[in-house]
Structures are given as C-alpha cells and as structure tokens.
Amino acid sequence: MNVAPRPPVKLGVLISGEGTNLQTIIDAIACGDLRAEIRLVISNKASAGGLERARRHGISAATIDHRGFANRRAFDRALVEALQSHEVELVVCAGFMRLLSPVMIDAFRGRIMNIHPALCPAFPGVDAVRQALAYGVRFTGCSVFFVAEGVDDGPLIIQAVVPVFQDDDEAALAARIHAEEHRIYPLAIRLYQEGRLEIDGRIVRIRDHQPATDLGSLVNPRPD
Ligand code: GRF
C-alpha cells in the first residue's frame, strides 16, 4: 500500500540571537531533507542576527520586544496571535531566551520544541556549557525536547553526546555542541513532520523506529 507523504509542516521559529540553528533548518528544507515551510521567524530582540538570515531567504521575520509588555503572559499572548495568524503548526525555539508561560504552552501543547546545549536534565538554564565545564563532567551534549512547564524540562525527542576534553574552554566545547545541535534539530522536526512522534507522559515514542543496537558505550578519557 502506498502511503501519501504528509504535507510540509508549517513552522514558526522563535529566536533571540545568531540563528545558526534556524539556518540549518532553512538549509534542510532547501535541500529536501525536511518537508517544512517556515511561516514566520520571531525574535524578542531587534538586533538578533537570525532576523537578517530569515529575510535573506525571503522568510517573514518580526520583532516582538518583550520589554513592551506588562508581564510574561501578555508577551506570550502576542506571540500566540502572531503564530496563529500565520497558521503555524509547530513552534521551534532556536536560541529563544525567554521562558514560555502557560499561555503559549496551552495554545501549542505538544507542538513546541526547544533545544538545550546539555544532556537534559543536567545543567538547565543559561550557561549550560560553563556549568558542564565547572562540574567536570566527561560527557555533555545537547537535547531536543517538547516544551512543558519548567526550565529546559520536557519530553525528550533526541540527544547527542559530546565528550569534554581536558583542555576545553567554553568556546571550544560550545562549538562542538553547536555542531551536534545542527545535526539533531532538523532530524527532530523531520520526525514530527512524518507524524512519528507520540508523547506519552514524559516519554516520546518514535513510530517505525529501529533502535540502533550498534552504538556501543562511550568511555572518556579512554584508558591509556
Ligand atoms: C544554542 O546553543 C541553543 O542550544 C541555545 O541557544 C543557542 C542558540 O544558538 N538554546 P543559535 O542562535 O541557533 O546559533
């Protein structure tokens, strides 16, 4: 039986900064790896480099400055309105430095993704890379999850592991984590577009998924 491919998923991307994750999503769409359409990019900061990236690619890009609102809920109501008026199905937070209130979470329950530069639930909040270095972990990484109430805490979709090396400084480690983010974010969105993600409480099940049994386990540092 031939199953017709699902239509492209309509995305709204929320950013606050450079937007390199936004760029990988744009690239994945352009090369056909991801069936999606970015309907709108919103930044809470007018200076975010990601706005310019979006415009260069002909994508609608808007600033909604959180400082113009009395509180988080009022700001979120403006976000919901903009996203809904662009018929956004899936909200992708890509370096969006604002905590979402129940106003956003309820409007898009199970339809908001975020990415965090650590292996959740480790090192939530800002400075995740610095926290990992200060703690002395041998592995860190990045996580894509569905946003729920709480900071960097929600059902996990995909994680990538990154080793921490003795001589790493924050910039070096952050760069290696970033590279992994760019691999896993488009993949998580693709699984969503294909209708393969099923949220069951804290757990995300992936339909028609063959677990990789050849991953092995990682040891860092390797014994001499
Ligand atoms: C990423 O490290 C992401 O994990 C965090 O913010 C950063 C955004 O980077 N939430 P960019 O703006 O996509 O380059």
Side-chain angles (χ1 to χ4, degrees):
M1 190 179 69
N2 264 345
V3 182
R6 287 173 170 251
V9 59
K10 296 174 189 150
L11 305 179
V13 184
L14 305 186
I15 60 167
S16 300
E18 246 338 279
T20 64
N21 279 289
L22 165 66
Q23 186 68 53
T24 56
I25 296 164
I26 293 172
D27 295 345
I29 294 171
C31 76
D33 278 352
L34 178 61
R35 284 172 61 79
E37 183 194 340
I38 302 178
R39 300 298 297 245
L40 177 64
V41 172
I42 301 175
S43 170
N44 63 313
K45 290 186 177 170
S47 60
L51 287 171
E52 195 37 50
R53 283 181 199 272
R55 292 186 183 121
R56 265 205 306 275
H57 291 273
I59 299 167
S60 302
T63 301
I64 302 181
D65 190 331
H66 60 280
R67 294 171 304 184
F69 296 85
N71 53 44
R72 214 177 276 286
R73 298 177 69 92
F75 172 63
D76 280 11
R77 269 193 288 276
L79 289 182
V80 169
E81 204 170 289
L83 293 163
Q84 285 179 344
S85 72
H86 285 75
E87 295 170 355
V88 165
E89 296 163 339
L90 177 68
V91 180
V92 175
C93 300
F96 184 60
M97 303 306 280
R98 304 294 303 166
L99 261 185
L100 295 178
S101 76
V103 170
M104 261 296 286
I105 295 174
D106 289 342
F108 289 95
R109 187 155 295 271
R111 297 189 292 134
I112 309 176
M113 286 185 188
N114 193 9
I115 189 159
H116 183 62
L119 292 173
C120 298
F123 311 129
V126 287
D127 289 340
V129 178
R130 194 176 310 164
Q131 289 182 58
L133 278 174
Y135 198 95
V137 290
R138 299 304 195 198
F139 291 102
T140 182
C142 47
S143 310
V144 180
F145 57 95
F146 283 113
V147 172
E149 289 79 7
V151 180
D152 297 321
D153 178 32
L156 287 161
I157 302 165
I158 181 164
Q159 294 186 299
V161 176
V162 173
V164 181
F165 300 130
Q166 191 135 306
D167 297 331
D168 271 342
D169 58 15
E170 199 179 332
L173 181 56
R176 292 208 306 286
I177 293 172
H178 236 127
E180 293 304 313
E181 291 186 358
H182 298 161
R183 289 174 57 199
I184 67 173
Y185 219 172
L187 197 52
I189 299 167
R190 194 178 91 198
L191 290 170
Y192 182 95
Q193 185 274 327
E194 291 172 346
R196 294 173 60 196
L197 299 179
E198 210 172 78
I199 306 175
D200 178 7
R202 263 226 78 89
I203 305 299
V204 176
R205 295 185 202 290
I206 303 176
R207 283 202 202 99
D208 304 321
H209 171 64
Q210 298 298 327
T213 50
D214 57 350
L215 284 179
S217 48
L218 305 172
V219 176
N220 181 35
R222 275 207 196 102
D224 293 327

